Amino acid sequence: MVNVTVNKTKLSLIVGDITKQNTDAIVNAANSSLLGGGGVDGAIHRAGGPQILEECKKIRARQGGCKTGEAVITTGGNLPARYVIHTVGPIWSGGNNNEPDLLANCYKNSLKLAVENGIKTVSFPSISTGAYGYPIDQAATVALKAVIDFLRNDDSLEEVIFVLFNEAIYKSYENALKEIGLIS
Ligand code: APR
């Protein structure tokens, strides 16, 4: 467990299951169809129930799906979290197809949407580092720099938590935080 303060927001790293977090919102690593999938997407839809998919379908009807790097918001359904913010990470294809910026946009657009909805506490998974194959150490640095940069410019949020599914992923994020210089 790591806790640091960035501007006025607590930034934490924990090992856990994001579907169990009772932050105001949890972020889903979705795909552009918004129709669910495996990994954290599957876990969130399973735990949150059909209302989440119903709202995703309404968003699809309005705007098609969700572009890579962008974010949409739905109810949390049966989850402890009131909202799910769905964002679509980049599929890793070697690192020269704008993957770092697109991944950073996932975090920034999710936090922007949270602030716009009066949300105070947000949990993130490690976006794109599962099925989408983004190398974990590079993703951790991009993710943390994006969140820290956002928090340095906007103090509306009380807490942002990275909920990492196992020790190895947690270690990558902890090392990235050390490299950035926020922890020793
Ligand atoms: N809580 C927290 N983290 C989780 C959980 C969970 N319950 N389940 C999986 N993870 C972690 C994985 O270990 C990985 O570190 O989430 C991270 C992201 O992995 P994926 O869920 O595979 O997401 P991603 O790599 O962004 O791929 C997205 O996979 O599930 C499909 O529909 C989704 O097509 C999309 C693609």
Side-chain angles (χ1 to χ4, degrees), residues 16-18 29-31 36-41 43 126-132 163 165 169:
D17 176 345
I18 201 162
N31 60 59
V40 72
D41 197 4
S126 174
I127 298 166
S128 280
T129 62
Y132 280 1
V163 182
F165 210 33
I169 300 167

Side-chain angles (χ1 to χ4, degrees), residues 32-142:
S32 52
S33 77
L34 293 176
L35 294 178
V40 72
D41 197 4
I44 288 174
H45 280 279
R46 256 193 319 279
Q51 293 164 278
I52 298 175
L53 185 58
E54 269 160 46
E55 289 196 13
C56 284
K57 285 179 177 168
K58 285 188 191 134
I59 294 167
R60 274 172 63 86
R62 266 202 319 270
Q63 64 177 58
C66 182
K67 290 197 186 80
T68 301
E70 294 189 7
V72 296
I73 189 166
T74 68
T75 177
N78 307 322
L79 289 165
R82 199 158 146 233
Y83 297 100
V84 178
I85 292 173
H86 306 259
T87 191
V88 180
I91 298 172
W92 180 256
S93 57
N96 301 312
N97 284 356
N98 209 23
E99 293 100 318
D101 287 347
L102 288 168
L103 184 61
N105 288 347
C106 287
Y107 290 92
K108 293 186 174 182
N109 286 326
S110 295
L111 291 176
K112 185 165 163 283
L113 204 47
V115 169
E116 285 166 0
N117 285 273
I119 288 164
K120 294 293 175 195
T121 58
V122 181
S123 294
F124 281 104
S126 174
I127 298 166
S128 280
T129 62
Y132 280 1
Y134 206 119
I136 181 75
D137 294 335
Q138 295 179 56
T141 302
V142 167

